[in-house]
Amino acid sequence: MSVSTALSDTTDIPAYMQAVGSAAREAAQGLRRADSGHKNGALEAMAERLDKAREAVLAANADDMQRGRDAGLDAALLDRLELTEARIDAMIAGLRQVAALPDPVGEVDGLRARPSGIQVGQMRVPLGVIGIIFESRPNVTVEAASLCLKSGNACILRGGSEARSSNAALSECLKAGLKDAGLSASAVQVVATTDRAAVGELIRMPKFVDVIIPRGGKSLIERVSREASVPVIKHLDGVCHVYVDATADVDQALAIAVNAKTQRYGTCNTLETLLVDAPVAERLLPALAERFAEHGVELRGCQRTRQVLTRITPASDDDWSEEYLAPVLAIKVVDGADDAMAHIERYGSQHTDAIVTRDYSLARRFMAEVDSSSVMVNASTRFADGAEYGLGAEIGISTDKLHARGPVGLEGLTTRKYIVFGDGQTRQ
Amino acid sequence: MSVSTALSDTTDIPAYMQAVGSAAREAAQGLRRADSGHKNGALEAMAERLDKAREAVLAANADDMQRGRDAGLDAALLDRLELTEARIDAMIAGLRQVAALPDPVGEVDGLRARPSGIQVGQMRVPLGVIGIIFESRPNVTVEAASLCLKSGNACILRGGSEARSSNAALSECLKAGLKDAGLSASAVQVVATTDRAAVGELIRMPKFVDVIIPRGGKSLIERVSREASVPVIKHLDGVCHVYVDATADVDQALAIAVNAKTQRYGTCNTLETLLVDAPVAERLLPALAERFAEHGVELRGCQRTRQVLTRITPASDDDWSEEYLAPVLAIKVVDGADDAMAHIERYGSQHTDAIVTRDYSLARRFMAEVDSSSVMVNASTRFADGAEYGLGAEIGISTDKLHARGPVGLEGLTTRKYIVFGDGQTRQ
C-alpha cells in the first residue's frame, strides 16, 4: 500500500469506523432473517448492476491504473490492479455462481431426543459481521461481498489504496443490488478512507465485528493478528512437502513433484521441499533434475542429494523452512517415513503435505499422523484449493487450527448454535 | 487465588514453562498416533491409580483445607476445595465415563470424488496442546485431563494455588496411569508452581500451546483473553432470558420461569431477565410473584411490571444487563416478540434464551433469529449443559462464536483437516 492519502475528507477515523460498524451490526440482524431466495435475489441484482456499470467501473479503474503507473507500481501489481471486460465478466459470473451454491444457513445437524424429553440439535447460523482487509485486486471486493452475503453476514471491506476508485465504483453496484432486492445497503460497506488508522479501528471493534479475515502478504497478516482484539481467520506460510516413499511409482512421483512445484510458483499450496526416501534417490533424482531443468527450477539439496546431483547448490538449514514462492526447490534425502514426518513436523507450516507411496499401511499412517490442514496421498499439493475441493468458492485458506482449517468456503463463514425444542420441560 | 507463594523452588518461570510446553508438544505427537483402545486403557489405569491413592489424595487435600482455613477462605470456597471419599468416587466414575464415550478422532466426513479424480473429505483430529487455567475445585484436574486425553490432546493444567497439594497428588495418579498404559507422562502436566507469572507464560506460547481454556471468574477470563497470544475458548456472561408470549400456556410459562431461575442460582444458564408479553402480564405476574416469594427471589420490575406487582423494586437500566447469579430476577413487560427480541439483542449476552409460546410461526422465528449459543422453545434455560445435551461431558460453555459455541464436549477439543486420496492426479 504505497498511497496513503485519504479518499474522503473523513478526519475523525474512530468515529467514522464506529458508524460503519454500527450500521454493519444492524444490517447483520436483517440478514439473519433473510431467506436464501432473498439473498440470491440480491446477488443477481448485483450482477445486473455491475453489468450495466461496466463503463463507470472501467473508468474508475483507469484512474487507479494511471495513479499506479505514476507511483511506479511494478508490472505484477499493475496486472493485479487492472480490470478488463473479461475480468468484469468473471466477476458477474462469480456472483451468479455464489447465488447457485447451496445456502448453509439454517441447516440443522444431529437433532435428537434426550432422556429429559427435550430435542437438541445444532443449527448453522451466520457469524454476524465480517471484516475483510485485502490488497490490490479489486475483484476481491465483489468476491468477498458475495460470499459474506450468501452466508448471511454483513461485511466491512477494506481494500488497498491503489484500488480505491475501482473499489468505490464496485461498491456502488453492490449497494444498488442490495437495495434492488430490498436489503440494507449497509450489508456491504467498503471503507471510504485509505487512512491506515481505519484498519487499526476495524480490528479492535469486537462490539461490531465478529471476525477479521486479512488477505494479503505475510506482513499485513502478522500485523493484523498481533493487534486485533477481534478473532482473526488467518493464512500464514505454506511450506508444503511431497514425500516420495521407497515403494512409490517413480513416474507418478515425478508427475506429482513437477506439477506441485511448477503448475504455479506463487501460490501457498506450491511444493517447497521434496523429501526423497533413500532407496529411490538414485533412480528418482536424475530424472527429476532433468524435468526441473526444463522448467528452469533451481534445486538446492542436502548432502546426500548432492551425492546424486553433484552440481546443485547446497541447501542451508534456512532452506527447509523457506516458502520460496519462486522456481526454487529444496530437496532432502530421508530414511523412511518416520524421518520424513519428523522433518515435516519440525520445518513444515502445517499447510499441505503429500506422500507418494504404494504402501497401504504407510498411506494410512501418513494421513493420520501428519498434522497439516491438507494431507494427501498420491496427489499434487496444488489441489489444496476451495474450487478443487468442491467448496464452490473460497474466501481464503486458513492455517489456523480453530474454527476453519484449510480452504474456507461458505461454511467457514458460519457457526452453529444449539437449538432446543420442548413442551414445557424443566430440569430436575 | 489468595495464596501466591511458590510450591516448587522454580525461580526461572519462563524457562520452566518452556520446558513444560516443549514436553507437551512432544507428547501431543505421540497422542496423535494413539488409538482409542490405548487412550481408554490409560483412562482406566488412571481410575485404578486414583482408587489406590485415596489416602494420599485425602491427606494432600487436608493440607489444602487447613491452609485455606488459616487464610480465611469463605465457606463456599472451602466446600469447592474439599475432597471426600464420595468426590473421589465421582472422579473415578468420571474417568470411566469418558473412556466409554465415542472417540471423535479419525471420523471422516463428506468424503467424495471430485471431477479431477481425487477424493476429498475432512478428518477429525486433535487440536494438539490445550492449556487449562482453573480455580479452586481440584476435581477439574481429573475431568479436564480425561477429556483432553480422550480427544488426543496433551494438556497443561494450571489449577488454583489453594488446591496445590490436592492437584499435585491427583497429578501423580494421572501420570502413573499414563505410564501404566505406555503413554508419555507429559501428556498431562500440572504446572508445579503457583507463581502467577506461569499463567502469563502459558498464554503466550503459541509454539507449544494450541488453545487456552480459562475456567473461573470473569476477571480471570477477561485477563486471559486480553493478554493471550494463543487462541482462547472463553466463557463470559450468561444473561439469559425467558420470553413469555401472549399465546403461552400460563402454567408452562410459570414452571419454566421458576425452574430456570431457581433450580440453581449460581450457574451461567440461570434465568436473569423475564420478558412478559403485555397481554399475559396481568394473568401471569401475580402467580409468578407468589411462586418466587416462596423461593425468596427478589423481583425487580419495569414500570409496566410494577403496575401489576406494585410492591416490587423498580429495575434500573443496569438490571437488564446484570448477571445476578443470585435469587434476584428482573422482569420487563414487552409488546410482542419483536420487542422481546430487540431487548435480547441489546442487553443479552448471546448465551441462552428461551421463548414460551403456542404459536408455531413465532417459535420458528425466535429459533432462527435469536443469535445466542442456545435458543429454546418451551424449555428451561437450565438445560444448556453438556450432559443435558448428550455430549457426555463438557470442558466448559463457550460464549465465543468461532470454533465452539455453547457447551464444549470432546468434539470442541478437536479440529478437522482435509484429506485427499489420489492415484497420481495432478492439477491442470
Side-chain angles (χ1 to χ4, degrees), chain A residues 242-249 252-253 256 354-358 377-379:
Chain A
V242 169
Y243 165 58
V244 181
D245 171 54
T247 69
D249 175 311
Q252 204 173 83
I256 288 172
I355 186 173
V356 186
T357 186
R358 286 191 288 205
V377 177
N378 297 342

Side-chain angles (χ1 to χ4, degrees), chain A residues 32 369-370 401 415 417, chain B residues 32 369-370 401 415 417:
Chain A
R32 225 186 290 146
E369 294 178 21
V370 172
K401 285 187 171 180
T415 181
K417 68 183 179 190
Chain B
R32 225 186 288 145
E369 294 178 21
V370 172
K401 283 187 172 180
T415 181
K417 68 182 179 191

Side-chain angles (χ1 to χ4, degrees), chain A residues 81-219:
Chain A
L81 181 56
E82 187 169 24
L83 291 180
T84 59
E85 290 284 359
R87 284 185 177 175
I88 292 180
D89 289 344
M91 286 191 276
I92 292 171
L95 284 164
R96 290 183 172 138
Q97 274 159 20
V98 172
L101 290 176
D103 185 345
V105 173
E107 224 176 71
V108 174
D109 290 327
L111 194 66
R112 60 193 177 278
R114 297 291 308 151
S116 59
I118 60 171
Q119 249 187 322
V120 183
Q122 284 180 286
M123 181 189 276
R124 203 163 275 289
V125 293
L127 285 169
V129 177
I130 300 177
I132 299 178
I133 301 162
F134 55 101
E135 292 175 338
S136 55
R137 291 193 306 126
N139 51 333
V140 173
T141 304
V142 175
E143 197 182 293
S146 66
L147 292 172
C148 290
L149 174 61
K150 179 77 185 210
S151 53
N153 296 287
C155 63
I156 302 174
L157 308 174
R158 187 9 167 108
S161 54
E162 324 79 67
R164 65 204 192 202
S165 301
S166 313
N167 288 339
L170 292 170
S171 161
E172 289 308 310
C173 304
L174 301 176
K175 284 184 177 299
L178 286 164
K179 280 188 212 153
D180 292 344
L183 289 174
S184 162
S186 303
V188 175
Q189 292 178 88
V190 172
V191 173
T193 166
T194 55
D195 192 319
R196 278 184 164 220
V199 172
E201 294 297 321
L202 180 60
I203 66 180
R204 297 194 146 272
M205 305 196 298
K207 191 176 160 195
F208 297 130
V209 180
D210 294 294
V211 62
I212 293 284
I213 304 178
R215 288 180 54 160
K218 201 174 165 183
S219 68

Side-chain angles (χ1 to χ4, degrees), chain A residues 56-79:
Chain A
V57 169
L58 290 173
N61 185 248
D63 282 353
D64 287 334
M65 290 294 287
Q66 187 56 53
R67 211 174 37 247
R69 279 187 292 264
D70 293 348
L73 294 191
D74 67 30
L77 263 178
L78 286 172
D79 176 60

Side-chain angles (χ1 to χ4, degrees), chain A residues 49 62 293:
Chain A
R49 287 285 184 169

Side-chain angles (χ1 to χ4, degrees), chain A residues 32-33 112 114 127 259 367 369-370 373 375 377-378 382 388 401 403 415 417-418 420 422 424 427, chain B residues 32-33 114 127 259 367 369-370 373 375 377-378 382 388 401 403 415 417-418 420 422 424 427:
Chain A
R32 225 186 290 146
R33 291 183 198 111
R112 60 193 177 278
R114 297 291 308 151
L127 285 169
N259 181 264
M367 213 52 135
E369 294 178 21
V370 172
S373 71
V375 185
V377 177
N378 297 342
R382 286 280 298 130
E388 293 293 337
K401 285 187 171 180
H403 188 67
T415 181
K417 68 183 179 190
Y418 281 95
V420 174
R427 188 160 164 194
Chain B
R32 225 186 288 145
R33 292 184 196 109
R114 297 290 309 150
L127 285 169
N259 182 265
M367 213 50 137
E369 294 178 21
V370 172
S373 72
V375 185
V377 177
N378 297 343
R382 286 281 297 131
E388 293 293 336
K401 283 187 172 180
H403 190 67
T415 181
K417 68 182 179 191
Y418 282 95
V420 174
R427 187 161 166 192

Side-chain angles (χ1 to χ4, degrees), chain B residues 18-357:
Chain B
Q18 292 282 315
V20 167
S22 166
R25 179 60 81 208
E26 209 180 309
Q29 289 170 41
L31 282 183
R32 225 186 288 145
R33 292 184 196 109
D35 58 32
S36 287
H38 206 166
K39 293 183 288 188
N40 293 341
L43 290 166
E44 178 56 40
M46 287 170 168
E48 281 166 26
R49 287 285 183 168
L50 178 52
D51 194 25
K52 283 180 193 150
R54 285 168 181 270
E55 273 182 45
V57 169
L58 290 174
N61 184 250
D63 282 353
D64 286 334
M65 291 293 288
Q66 187 56 53
R67 211 173 37 249
R69 278 186 294 262
D70 293 348
L73 294 191
D74 68 31
L77 263 178
L78 286 172
D79 175 60
R80 292 165 67 197
L81 181 57
E82 187 169 24
L83 291 180
T84 59
E85 289 286 357
R87 285 185 177 176
I88 292 179
D89 289 344
M91 287 191 275
I92 293 171
L95 284 163
R96 291 182 171 138
Q97 274 159 21
V98 172
L101 290 176
D103 186 344
V105 173
E107 225 175 71
V108 174
D109 291 325
L111 194 66
R112 61 193 177 279
R114 297 290 309 150
S116 60
I118 60 170
Q119 248 187 322
V120 182
Q122 284 180 287
M123 181 189 277
R124 203 163 273 291
V125 294
L127 285 169
V129 176
I130 299 176
I132 299 177
I133 301 163
F134 55 101
E135 293 177 335
S136 55
R137 290 193 306 127
N139 51 334
V140 173
T141 305
V142 174
E143 196 182 295
S146 66
L147 292 172
C148 290
L149 174 61
K150 179 78 186 212
S151 52
N153 296 288
C155 63
I156 302 175
L157 307 175
R158 204 328 184 130
S161 54
E162 325 77 67
R164 65 206 193 201
S165 301
S166 312
N167 288 339
L170 292 170
S171 161
E172 288 308 309
C173 303
L174 301 176
K175 285 185 176 297
L178 286 164
K179 280 188 211 154
D180 293 345
L183 289 173
S184 162
S186 302
V188 176
Q189 292 179 86
V190 172
V191 173
T193 166
T194 55
D195 192 318
R196 279 184 165 219
V199 172
E201 294 297 321
L202 181 60
I203 65 179
R204 299 195 144 271
M205 305 197 298
K207 192 175 158 195
F208 297 130
V209 180
D210 295 293
V211 63
I212 293 284
I213 304 177
R215 288 180 52 160
K218 202 174 166 185
S219 68
L220 168 73
I221 294 169
E222 283 179 337
R223 179 195 155 201
V224 166
S225 305
R226 201 171 48 239
E227 297 176 9
S229 62
V230 172
V232 177
I233 296 179
K234 64 178 173 297
H235 174 270
L236 289 171
D237 296 340
V239 180
C240 303
H241 299 79
V242 169
Y243 164 59
V244 181
D245 171 55
T247 68
D249 174 311
V250 168
D251 288 338
Q252 207 174 80
L254 268 173
I256 288 172
V258 170
N259 182 265
K261 181 71 233 180
T262 67
Q263 206 244 345
R264 271 182 76 185
Y265 294 112
T267 52
C268 56
N269 54 18
T270 296
L271 169 64
E272 304 291 13
T273 300
L274 180 71
L275 301 171
V276 180
D277 200 2
V280 281
E282 288 205 34
R283 258 196 310 153
L284 183 69
L285 290 175
L288 259 179
E290 202 173 303
R291 295 287 302 276
F292 279 124
E294 287 163 22
H295 284 89
V297 173
E298 178 195 339
L299 303 182
R300 300 188 191 167
C302 70
Q303 215 187 341
R304 290 163 80 186
T305 302
R306 293 176 61 243
Q307 283 165 7
V308 185
L309 306 177
T310 50
R311 297 178 180 201
I312 68 170
T313 320
S316 74
D317 204 56
D318 286 348
D319 281 296
W320 309 130
S321 38
E322 185 76 21
E323 184 181 17
Y324 299 117
L325 300 171
V328 182
L329 177 69
I331 306 180
K332 188 180 187 183
V333 173
V334 296
D335 294 310
D338 283 306
D339 198 9
M341 290 195 281
H343 179 99
I344 293 170
E345 180 88 21
R346 176 160 178 199
Y347 295 103
S349 65
Q350 305 190 305
H351 191 296
T352 300
D353 298 294
I355 186 173
V356 186
T357 187

